Amino acid sequence: ISIFRKWGCIAMIKLNPYTEEARLLLVQQVQMQMSEARFEHVLGVEQSAIALAKRYGYSVEKASIAALTHDYAKERSADEFRFIIENKGFDLNLLRWGNAIWHGLVGAYFVEHELGITDHDILEAIRLHTTGAPQMSLLSKIIYVADYIEPGRDFPGVEEARRLAVLDLDQAVAFETKQTLQYLIGKNVPIYPKTIETYNQWVAKHS
């Protein structure tokens, strides 16, 4: 299987198997797009995502690729995001939001068109890693949670999130969603509608 296609000067990478050489090429492409601190976070998310994939019987290779690329566009300029939203068929209501939302929902566009990653599950996991969704694939849940619990995270509740992630991934999704919503409410900031939908599905039904 090739999850990558030729795009610009980036050659197709054969991922059957997903060799260390292929991973290192992807790592290099990702590292060029971000600061060292962001890159360290990405490697931490990959570590957590691989552990969760093994725990829940999912493809380690796809978990690695999704984790490495989930923040690919995090440090792009607002002008780049606005251009893609305005010209590539996105809902123009997205213009009301900012990087916290854009780097997932729109970031998947950059991953697909610059890295040539076309796998549906991987792109969906990138899109949903900050907002979640009422319906999430196993990979989307893995990346959503791994982004929250990676080793570099240090905030109240992260140890409980790590404990839940090993016991029951759905409970970890619910816990993270509730904590995130409480944090946003505490800051008196607008809340993206899909985040509320995620809460209604994952938290309310677990109450």
Side-chain angles (χ1 to χ4, degrees):
I1 300 170
S2 254
I3 293 178
F4 292 75
R5 66 168 180 267
K6 187 173 181 181
W7 189 272
C9 64
I10 301 172
M12 184 179 289
I13 303 172
K14 298 295 184 183
L15 297 179
N16 187 15
Y18 178 52
T19 63
E20 184 60 24
E21 180 182 1
R23 178 189 171 276
L24 288 175
L25 180 57
L26 178 58
V27 165
Q28 290 169 4
Q29 295 294 332
V30 168
Q31 187 172 17
M32 288 189 295
Q33 301 296 320
M34 59 189 62
S35 64
E36 188 62 29
R38 176 61 48 185
F39 180 62
E40 288 299 318
H41 162 71
V42 164
L43 293 180
V45 175
E46 184 196 28
Q47 178 183 333
S48 294
I50 288 173
L52 291 174
K54 290 177 178 178
R55 170 67 179 83
Y56 293 103
Y58 190 78
S59 165
V60 168
E61 291 80 9
K62 288 176 71 168
S64 170
I65 294 165
L68 288 172
T69 56
H70 82 284
D71 270 355
Y72 178 77
K74 176 70 174 178
E75 296 181 2
R76 295 296 179 96
S77 71
D79 285 343
E80 287 180 271
F81 279 115
R82 290 191 188 102
F83 178 84
I84 298 299
I85 292 167
E86 291 172 350
N87 293 280
K88 299 300 179 181
F90 285 88
D91 183 347
L92 294 181
N93 284 324
L94 275 173
L95 293 170
R96 299 171 47 218
W97 302 90
N99 183 281
I101 301 300
W102 292 343
H103 83 275
L105 294 177
V106 186
Y109 177 93
F110 289 106
V111 170
E112 180 176 5
H113 290 88
E114 293 183 4
L115 297 178
I117 296 177
T118 59
D119 182 271
H120 174 271
D121 289 343
I122 291 173
L123 294 176
E124 180 187 61
I126 296 168
R127 289 187 194 101
L128 300 181
H129 82 268
T130 57
T131 65
Q135 302 298 323
M136 300 170 70
S137 69
L138 179 53
L139 180 58
S140 290
K141 289 188 282 187
I142 286 171
I143 300 302
Y144 183 71
V145 172
D147 186 36
Y148 195 71
I149 67 168
E150 63 96 353
R153 298 292 200 193
D154 183 16
F155 54 83
V158 71
E159 290 300 332
E160 176 64 9
R162 290 173 179 143
R163 185 186 71 83
L164 289 172
V166 175
L167 296 177
D168 186 317
L169 193 59
D170 285 359
Q171 286 190 29
V173 168
F175 180 84
E176 173 183 347
T177 301
K178 183 176 182 179
Q179 295 293 109
T180 299
L181 196 60
Q182 288 175 336
Y183 172 77
L184 294 172
I185 290 170
K187 292 187 70 177
N188 295 316
V189 297
I191 297 171
Y192 190 65
K194 189 168 287 293
T195 301
I196 297 174
E197 292 175 13
T198 304
Y199 172 86
N200 288 339
Q201 174 66 22
W202 291 96
V203 180
K205 77 171 189 178
H206 284 82
S207 297

